[in-house]
Amino acid sequence: MSETIFAGLPELEAGHVWLVGAGPGDPGLLTLHAANALGQADVIVHDALVNEDCLKLARPGAVLEFAGKRGGKPSPKQRDISLRLVELARAGQRVLRLKGGDPFVFGRGGEEALTLVENRIPFRIVPGITAGIGGLAYAGIPVTHREVNHAVTFLTGHDSSGLVPDRINWQGIASGSPVIVMYMAMKHIGTIAANLIAGGRSPEEPVAFVCNAATPEQAVLETTLARAEADVTASGLQPPAIVVVGEVVRLRASLDWIGALGGRQLVADPFASRELRDPA
């Protein structure tokens, strides 16, 4: 069966680097290209957010190198990670750079690919399911729903300094994006919520935190902008987390398919017939 599935897929050649997205957690969300790469690579340089179950698909004898970057904890420098990929490729290794989610969505894949170009290392990009879409789907929250929104904004909750990005137009996002999906935002959610409320969002707007998305440890907290900081602190939940702001959070009452497998009774009308208006 596996020979049939992988027939015709590309070969990971010696001296090449593949930048591959592993998806948000569940190994079943790996693409065929990702699984094919795992079965060929000599060295797998992986992030902290790559599920260990995904790494079990590595070929026997493959070397696993951890290169995780976690906010507030000792981490390898990005430049060092990029140069390590160059070093391994020049040594004739078949190199898989495995990143959680999608390498080009807040994954620094572009920076690493530019280093490979600079050093004339051949490479391939393999997209993955980003947590801001796949992780929310596992929580029963769609990023778009035509009764709610015709636009969505993805943003990061901190910049390279670890602070809330000051180049984000919070006023513009607050007034123009009906749904906001945030990566790495839990630590600064108090400041972010205040910025959005100051920009015109209702303090009672629904917010959800999806922690350890698409894994057996997934946990979801539903709250509001006004209570987000206090509720997430009281919950004891920890990153990694995706945070979503908007009326789509209410759809979880109907679409929490994982909860339904555990006995949750889903409702047919999550909006209780209230009138919705896309503010964008």
Side-chain angles (χ1 to χ4, degrees), residues 253 256-267:
D256 179 16
W257 58 276
I258 292 179
L261 293 174
R264 178 178 183 177
Q265 187 68 40
L266 302 181
V267 302

Side-chain angles (χ1 to χ4, degrees), residues 205-259:
E205 185 160 12
V207 176
F209 294 81
V210 183
C211 301
N212 296 304
T215 72
E217 292 74 38
Q218 176 175 295
V220 182
L221 170 67
E222 295 181 57
T223 179
T224 64
L225 269 181
R227 291 203 51 82
E229 182 178 26
D231 285 353
V232 78
T233 300
S235 73
L237 293 175
Q238 296 294 323
I242 288 291
V243 185
V244 55
V245 178
E247 291 291 327
V248 289
V249 172
R250 299 187 193 277
L251 282 155
R252 188 166 187 265
S254 297
L255 303 181
D256 179 16
W257 58 276
I258 292 179

Side-chain angles (χ1 to χ4, degrees), residues 117-262:
V117 172
E118 178 186 352
N119 289 275
R120 301 184 182 278
I121 303 297
F123 66 96
R124 172 184 286 266
I125 305 297
V126 178
I129 298 175
T130 184
I133 296 175
L136 293 184
Y138 267 53
I141 302 172
V143 292
T144 66
H145 183 74
R146 67 178 183 172
E147 292 184 22
V148 177
N149 65 309
H150 295 91
V152 58
T153 295
F154 295 89
L155 60 85
T156 177
H158 70 75
D159 58 21
S160 58
S161 69
L163 302 176
V164 177
D166 57 11
R167 289 185 292 179
I168 290 179
N169 182 348
W170 294 104
Q171 175 74 44
I173 289 174
S175 63
S177 185
V179 172
I180 306 165
V181 178
M182 296 180 282
Y183 296 68
M184 300 168 283
M186 180 181 280
K187 179 179 179 181
H188 299 302
I189 191 59
T191 300
I192 292 170
N195 287 342
L196 293 174
I197 292 171
R201 302 301 276 248
S202 168
E204 298 307 310
E205 185 160 12
V207 176
F209 294 81
V210 183
C211 301
N212 296 304
T215 72
E217 292 74 38
Q218 176 175 295
V220 182
L221 170 67
E222 295 181 57
T223 179
T224 64
L225 269 181
R227 291 203 51 82
E229 182 178 26
D231 285 353
V232 78
T233 300
S235 73
L237 293 175
Q238 296 294 323
I242 288 291
V243 185
V244 55
V245 178
E247 291 291 327
V248 289
V249 172
R250 299 187 193 277
L251 282 155
R252 188 166 187 265
S254 297
L255 303 181
D256 179 16
W257 58 276
I258 292 179
L261 293 174

Side-chain angles (χ1 to χ4, degrees), residues 14-166:
H16 288 225
V17 177
W18 285 12
L19 299 171
V20 177
D26 186 345
L29 298 180
L30 287 166
T31 64
L32 287 178
H33 278 313
N36 180 43
L38 282 161
Q40 298 184 66
D42 298 315
V43 182
I44 300 170
V45 182
H46 64 93
D47 280 352
L49 296 181
V50 173
N51 191 327
E52 290 185 3
D53 288 338
C54 295
L55 297 174
K56 293 177 182 177
L57 298 176
R59 73 171 184 83
V63 175
L64 303 181
E65 288 195 10
F66 178 78
K69 296 180 72 64
R70 298 299 299 273
K73 298 180 181 180
S75 303
K77 294 181 179 179
Q78 182 59 55
R79 183 63 177 170
D80 292 338
I81 295 173
S82 299
L83 292 176
R84 178 58 176 161
L85 301 178
V86 173
E87 179 184 25
L88 290 168
R90 284 180 173 166
Q93 301 293 302
R94 296 175 294 177
V95 185
L96 167 57
R97 176 62 168 123
L98 193 63
K99 306 174 80 69
D102 181 280
F104 278 6
V105 182
F106 303 117
R108 309 190 191 205
E111 297 173 48
E112 294 173 5
L114 287 172
T115 300
L116 297 175
V117 172
E118 178 186 352
N119 289 275
R120 301 184 182 278
I121 303 297
F123 66 96
R124 172 184 286 266
I125 305 297
V126 178
I129 298 175
T130 184
I133 296 175
L136 293 184
Y138 267 53
I141 302 172
V143 292
T144 66
H145 183 74
R146 67 178 183 172
E147 292 184 22
V148 177
N149 65 309
H150 295 91
V152 58
T153 295
F154 295 89
L155 60 85
T156 177
H158 70 75
D159 58 21
S160 58
S161 69
L163 302 176
V164 177
D166 57 11

